[in-house]
Amino acid sequence: MRLNGEVSHKEEEEEGEKENGNLLPQKVVVVGYALTSKKKKSFMQPKFEVLARKKGIVFIAIDLNKPLSDQGPFDVVLHKMSGKEWCEVIEDYKQKHPEVTVLDPPDAIRHLHNRQSMLQNVADLDLSDCHGKVCVPRQMVIKKDPLSIPDEVFEAGLKLPLVAKPLVVDGTAKSHELFLAYDRFSLSKLEPPLVLQEFVNHGGVLFKIYIVGEAIKVVKRFSLPNVSKCELANVGVHSFPRVSSATASADDADLDPSIAELPPQPLLERLSRELRSRLGLQLFNIDMIREHGTRDVFYVIDINYFPGYGKMPGYEHIFTDFLLNLAPAT
Ligand SMILES: Nc1ncnc2c1ncn2[C@@H]1O[C@H](COP(=O)(O)OP(=O)(O)OP(=O)(O)O)[C@@H](O)[C@H]1O
Ligand SMILES: O=P(O)(O)O[C@H]1[C@H](O)[C@@H](O)[C@H](OP(=O)(O)O)[C@@H](OP(=O)(O)O)[C@H]1O
Ligand SMILES: [Mg+2]
Ligand SMILES: [Mg+2]
């Protein structure tokens, strides 16, 4: 962290001074960020930037066309960019600048770019003493041949309906194109590589658990409705919209309490702590559903790196506190 006067961002400091009634923040934290334009728009909201500036945080957009080491100096680097080249840039920068906190390590982020590896750590957890059970839906990966899917699904004993998800998550709209498949034969129309995941009835409500370091914020979102017994006779693959990513929150909706009751806090805390340490990540969210008809059986269906924090209530304060409290890298 830099003390005032050590940084050459005079304009921002003067602005902070005015807004603070001549009270300068005790330290200035310089945060370089490399975000896609979509992510920049949703994350760098004016209200957030103003609050951060008042608290002594200076954001600087990293210029991808210039060497990273020639920019800054930074205290923290935030990034969500895909591509091997960028990972190499970040790895190289981390080695040359151990004093900078780089969030998060590319290798750890890569773990979430694959829908099979992203859930592995959840599958390995045992939270049975934590007011609930956290599982992952049964799933399988189809790497290549779509014509083999019906037999593979049968051999694996997966129960229909299945959610078909692109195996790789790379920030593109295509990687979020999902299908609900009612019969195994129609699955051969889909394009591998795919993950086929058992659909879990959950009453149409999903819990999004946002993690920012040690801070946890859980919100309710609308999700897919239950599949009834008679719908099981349906056939075909049906694409569905990004229902849970909509800005509309289910927090204020009049919902059946047995469906909408938030997961127990101790369970959320333990799950978040374990995943933070096992994944080696500070910035992510977890999509969790409650199995319909149960009180305490939960499934994690998705984990996202650097999700849409702009939609997280109070993100401005949570994020500024997080950045200010980051220990300087040693
Ligand atoms: N196994 C499942 N059982 C029931 N519903 C599911 C399951 N998997 C996904 N869904 C529904 O589909 C939605 C999208 O699935 P998922 O979160 O895996 O996709 P995504 O494209 O990674 O989403 P995000 O926008 O959160 O990154 C979920 O929010 C939920 O409504
Ligand atoms: O915050 P939630 O509701 O989970 O939704 C996020 C998704 O989970 C992310 O995958 C989206 O980011 P990418 O599409 O860049 O992966 C992310 O995109 P955004 O930054 O444009 O909001 C969100 O849609
Ligand atoms: Mg999701
Ligand atoms: Mg996702």
Side-chain angles (χ1 to χ4, degrees), residues 36 38-40 42-43 80 169-173 175-176 208 210 221 242 244-246 285 287 302-312:
T36 56
K38 175 177 138 263
K39 186 61 70 184
K40 183 180 168 194
S42 68
F43 181 67
K80 182 166 180 175
V169 189
D170 56 8
T172 58
S175 67
H176 296 289
K208 275 214 177 258
Y210 287 92
R221 293 272 179 83
R242 290 185 72 183
S244 70
S245 145
N285 76 1
D287 286 357
D302 184 26
I303 306 180
N304 303 295
Y305 184 65
F306 210 127
Y309 284 117
K311 287 179 268 174
M312 173 177 109

Side-chain angles (χ1 to χ4, degrees), residues 87-101:
C87 290
E88 284 165 10
V89 169
I90 281 287
E91 286 297 0
D92 179 60
Y93 182 79
K94 267 166 60 106
Q95 288 217 330
K96 289 188 180 137
H97 298 272
E99 75 286 2
V100 180
T101 305

Side-chain angles (χ1 to χ4, degrees), residues 115-278:
R115 294 191 192 265
Q116 187 183 37
S117 57
M118 74 161 64
L119 298 183
Q120 196 52 54
N121 283 291
V122 183
D124 295 343
L125 284 179
D126 178 12
L127 305 181
S128 48
D129 55 344
C130 248
H131 309 264
K133 196 172 158 199
V134 181
C135 323
V136 297
R138 292 211 308 146
Q139 65 176 35
M140 69 183 293
V141 175
I142 304 291
K143 285 249 164 78
K144 270 196 188 133
D145 179 14
L147 298 177
S148 70
I149 300 179
D151 286 345
E152 288 194 54
V153 165
F154 179 74
E155 278 156 28
L158 287 189
K159 245 178 63 208
L160 292 155
L162 295 174
V163 189
K165 311 183 182 188
L167 177 64
V168 177
V169 189
D170 56 8
T172 58
K174 199 161 169 52
S175 67
H176 296 289
E177 265 174 24
L178 273 54
F179 296 85
L180 191 58
Y182 288 97
D183 73 293
R184 63 190 169 100
F185 298 101
S186 305
L187 283 163
S188 44
K189 291 184 202 152
L190 298 177
E191 219 182 293
L194 290 171
V195 161
L196 300 177
Q197 194 175 79
E198 286 188 348
F199 182 87
V200 178
N201 273 351
H202 55 282
V205 173
L206 171 133
F207 306 104
K208 275 214 177 258
I209 307 154
Y210 287 92
I211 316 285
V212 181
E214 286 178 10
I216 307 170
K217 189 97 192 172
V218 54
V219 298
K220 275 177 262 183
R221 293 272 179 83
F222 292 110
S223 178
L224 294 180
N226 287 350
V227 173
S228 66
K229 284 218 174 89
C230 47
E231 280 172 286
L232 291 177
N234 287 356
V235 286
V237 284
H238 304 266
S239 75
F240 59 86
R242 290 185 72 183
V243 55
S244 70
S245 145
T247 327
S249 144
D251 281 326
D252 302 323
D254 187 14
L255 298 162
D256 176 348
S258 69
I259 290 170
E261 186 192 359
L262 292 179
Q265 193 61 23
L267 183 79
L268 294 180
E269 282 170 12
R270 181 76 192 287
L271 174 69
S272 309
R273 197 172 62 236
E274 289 283 351
L275 286 186
R276 214 155 53 87
S277 119
R278 288 173 187 232

